[in-house]
Structures are given as structure tokens and as C-alpha cells.
Amino acid sequence: MKFIPTIGLEVHCQLNTRSKLFSPAATSFGANANTEVQTVCLGLPGALPVLNKEAVAKAVKAGLALGGVIHERSKFDRKNYFYPDLPKGYQISQFFEPYCTKAKIGIVSGSGKKTVGITRIHMEEDAGKLMHSEDASVHESYVDLNRAGTPLIEIVSEPEIDTPDEAVLYLTELKQILEYIEVSDCNMEEGSLRVDANVSVRPEGSDKLGTRVEIKNLNSFKSVKAAIEYEIARQSELIESGGKVVQETRLYNAARDITLSMRSKEEAHDYRYFPDPDLVPLILTKEQIEALRKNLPELAHEKRARYVSEFGLPEYDAGVLTADKATALYFEEVLKAGAPAKKASNWVMVEMMAIVKEKHKALYELFPADALAELIHLIDSGTISSKIAKEVFAEMVETGKRPKAIVDEKGMGQISDEGKIREIVLSVMGEHSASVADFKAGKERALKHLQGEIMKKTRGKVNPQLANKILAEELAK
Ligand code: ADP
Ligand code: MG
């Protein structure tokens, strides 16, 4: 029997505001435990939540960038459950009336272009963190409430993702959009982006979706892919052997590369959602929404299209250069400083990216964008050969000096003076008279040898086109 998988993703994204969603406490990652908490995050009696305007603006930007409908009215509800990292005993979330619906993400998968619907995006506050002793014999657990109350948006997709690879493409695109609009650092290791994957399978030919299993808290694209792959295989084998998939929540164990049951539907929480009586509905005006829309930066897919249409770059280059915003902005600065697009693209994608990877540095930390434009200009104007350019480039990375200064200092400039080149050509011909005789006797290979000797004598600094032309002239005499 063949099984068709269906995947729906729920993504929690931490917004990069300075303070929390309903409290003035700071949000920075890695502070000493329980130092970034105030009465509201601690749920002390009488403390009242006040909505963070910046968090709303960032959430709305995300909804707009994802092509969603922003609702002028939305509402906050209480999601009730008991857990030690949740001092209030409830989490403030938007359940009945989310601020954004009907968003979408375009992906290009193996089977072509497709759009994955986003059912809803809502704002909510994060819980704190529990830390359990790693030594199982030590029965100690600790609570850190620094994260409690941090603003999140939850982005819930339609069950329209067909393969583990499509899930990764969807997440890559989503992460890129959120990074471009600068509403989140999207750091998965620090938990700024967390993924729950819902997976079901159905026999080929059936149009009714199978029972879904939710795999919680995946914190890397690698584990998203592996967990979904494992789950598809597990469910398919289960059905094939006569079993039935039960709706449940599972956890992915990366060390063993399997998913394990966490709780079944029967044990699932009843959250007893109800509107938070401490908060009035959130009302946004059309003008506020439009002002945020107008201020959205150019997004990666828009840049990608423009690099192809305006700069004539290949799709591949456009994709690599826009993969992250910092690279795209650096590249655009190189062009602003006067470099031709394809040459700038090659230097950034090949030479610079290699160093970036090797040294774990950002592009602009190697040297400023206009220094690269200057280097390209030195090549284009014939001042240095592309071979010498590589040496200059290495020196730029090493010392941070400007390319022109390096060329002047080391006398690396190309020899382009015809008289000087003719002198060199004649002296090489004199030193290698046997090769000259060979060439005149019809041995074509002797020409290559003479050309090589001229290069050697000038340590690669002679303009090769001119040198070859003059050599041909002298040999013809
Ligand atoms: P819950 O709160 O129970 O997680 P949500 O509505 O927040 O429910 O999320 C449901 C998620 O499950 C959505 O991403 C949706 O696309 C996905 N989903 C729903 N039905 C299926 C199914 N049969 N197979 C796979 N995914 C599904
Ligand atoms: Mg869920």
C-alpha cells in the first residue's frame, strides 16, 4: 500500500522587543535566572497587564509580510493550565479572535511552485523555563521566569505541506521573511523559533486526511525533517500492519532519531479558554495598518526578482545573494560604489563567502563594500590582472588595507606600457632562441613556452593580451 503524507506546521516566533508583551521587564537572552521579572510576569495579585505597542507593531508587520489579513479588532484570551513555569496559572493568548488570518508562503519544491496557506497568526506570551538536574539521582528542578511573558507570534499553517522537504522549504522561507523585516532574531538554538509539526498519512486514493500526530518543540530544521520522516514511516507501517494511528502529542528524540509518545488526546489539556477580563480588545485603525505596510522593507523574494530583472543576474546568484539580508545589503552597496553586477556577484558569492565561512565573520567585517568595488575597478581598468587580484584580495582580508594602496605599495600594477613590454619580449626571445627557432620551424608549442617565460619574468604582472600581441609581432619579423 502507498501512503500520502500531510503536514501542518505551528511555528512559535519570539518577537525581538526590548520589554515583554504585558510587562516592562526586559527580554534579553542569557541574563541571570529570575532577574528579569516584575509583578506582571510573576502573576502577583493586583498586577495588571499593559499591552506592548512595539510587540503589536512587529506582529502586524509579520502578518503583512506574510500576505495576511490584519483584523482591526482582535482579542486576548486566557489559556488555563497548571505548570511550575507559569506563575499566573494561565497564558495570555489570542484564541477566539486572532489579529491575522489568511496569510501564505510561496515555496518552490521539486514539483514546482506552490503556495502554503497560513490559517492564522496570533500573539501570545511565552512561559518560563524549567531546568531539571541532569543527574537522574538528584531530584532537583529549577524555575527561571526570565522568559515568562516574552512576546511570541504563533503561525499556524494549513495542512497543505506534502513532504518533509517541503516543510523545510516552508520554514526556510518563513525564517527569511521574519529576518528581513527584523521582527525576530529567529535564533533556533536560543528558542526564538520553535516548530510543532502535525503529521498524518492516508492511503493513496483516499481524499480524507488521516489522524494527525503532533510532534512538539523541534528546534532545528534538521530535526523537523528527521522527525517528520520518522513519523511518516511509523504511521505507514502501523496502518499497514492493521493498527490505527491515535491522535497524540509526541516528542522527537534526536539522539535515537525516533519520536516517542508524550500524551494522548485523552490526557490532552482542556484549556478552558475565556476572554481575559484585564485586557480590552485590541483595536487597530486602517491608517495604523497601512502605515506599517508602507514601511515594510523589500523582501527576499522581491529582491530576488529584481536582481534578475534589473541587474540581469542568473536566478542562482539572486538566490544566494538574497539568502540573508546582510549579504543582499552588502552586495547592493558594492553596486552603489560602481561595480558591475555579475562581477560583484562572483566576488561576493565565491571569494568572500569562502572567507566568511572559514573565519566565521560577516561580510562587512572583512572589508567595506566600496573596497570590493575598488578592487573590481582595478581589474576592469587593466591595472591588475585577475591573478594578481586574488593576491590583493588576500591582503585586503589580512590587513584591511584598500586595494589601490596595496597595489601601489607592492608595485603590483600591471605592465601595460608597449615599449616596456617590447623590451621584455625581446630579452625573453634572446634568452630562448631555441624556442624562437622551434616556432619558426612550425612548432606551435614553442609559442606557449615563450608566453610562459614572459609571464615568469614579470611575475604575472604583464598585460597578457598586449604581451601576446607584441610577441607575435616580433616573431613575425
Ligand atoms: P492544536 O491547538 O490542537 O495544535 P491548531 O489548530 O493550533 O490545533 O493546529 C492544528 C495544526 O494541525 C495545523 O497546523 C493544521 O494544519 C494541522 N493539521 C490539521 N489536521 C491535520 C491532518 N489531518 N494532518 C496533518 N496536519 C493536520
Ligand atoms: Mg498546537
Side-chain angles (χ1 to χ4, degrees), residues 6-10 156-159 198-200 209-210 212 214:
T6 297
I7 301 148
L9 298 177
E10 297 165 72
V156 183
S157 89
E158 292 286 330
N198 296 271
V199 182
S200 68
L209 292 186
R212 76 177 156 113
E214 179 173 3

Side-chain angles (χ1 to χ4, degrees), residues 432 434-453 471 475:
H432 299 273
S435 295
V436 174
D438 281 350
F439 176 77
K440 293 197 168 162
K443 287 191 186 157
E444 279 294 323
R445 269 187 30 222
L447 181 65
K448 280 259 164 317
H449 178 243
L450 288 167
Q451 288 169 344
E453 289 301 325
L471 175 63
L475 285 170

Side-chain angles (χ1 to χ4, degrees), residues 143-280:
V143 189
D144 178 6
L145 294 176
N146 282 350
R147 207 181 62 181
T150 297
L152 303 175
I153 48 175
E154 180 173 348
I155 301 150
V156 183
S157 89
E158 292 286 330
E160 294 177 344
I161 298 163
D162 296 327
T163 63
D165 285 327
E166 278 190 13
V168 171
L169 288 170
Y170 169 94
L171 292 170
T172 307
E173 201 71 30
L174 173 61
K175 181 166 180 269
Q176 193 181 54
I177 290 170
L178 296 170
E179 280 170 350
Y180 259 76
I181 59 174
E182 294 173 5
V183 299
S184 172
D185 63 23
C186 293
N187 186 330
M188 295 190 82
E189 274 153 41
E190 292 181 2
S192 302
L193 208 66
R194 312 193 281 271
V195 182
D196 302 342
N198 296 271
V199 182
S200 68
V201 301
R202 69 193 140 94
E204 193 172 29
S206 152
D207 52 10
K208 198 171 149 274
L209 292 186
T211 304
R212 76 177 156 113
V213 158
E214 179 173 3
I215 312 161
K216 277 238 174 268
N217 274 332
L218 298 160
N219 58 7
S220 71
F221 288 1
K222 205 174 137 218
S223 46
V224 168
K225 185 165 186 252
I228 296 174
E229 274 167 357
Y230 175 85
E231 198 49 34
I232 292 171
R234 187 189 70 86
Q235 293 181 17
S236 304
E237 278 161 33
L238 185 63
I239 299 173
E240 201 145 31
S241 62
K244 247 178 103 176
V245 175
V246 290
Q247 188 172 341
E248 63 180 349
T249 304
R250 296 177 77 88
L251 285 180
Y252 177 65
N253 182 319
R256 294 166 63 193
D257 191 23
I258 58 171
T259 64
L260 294 166
S261 182
M262 181 180 150
R263 58 170 182 256
S264 71
K265 196 186 173 189
E266 284 68 40
E267 304 158 44
H269 292 295
D270 174 1
Y271 293 119
R272 293 167 196 264
Y273 281 101
F274 67 86
D276 192 310
D278 289 340
L279 287 159
V280 293

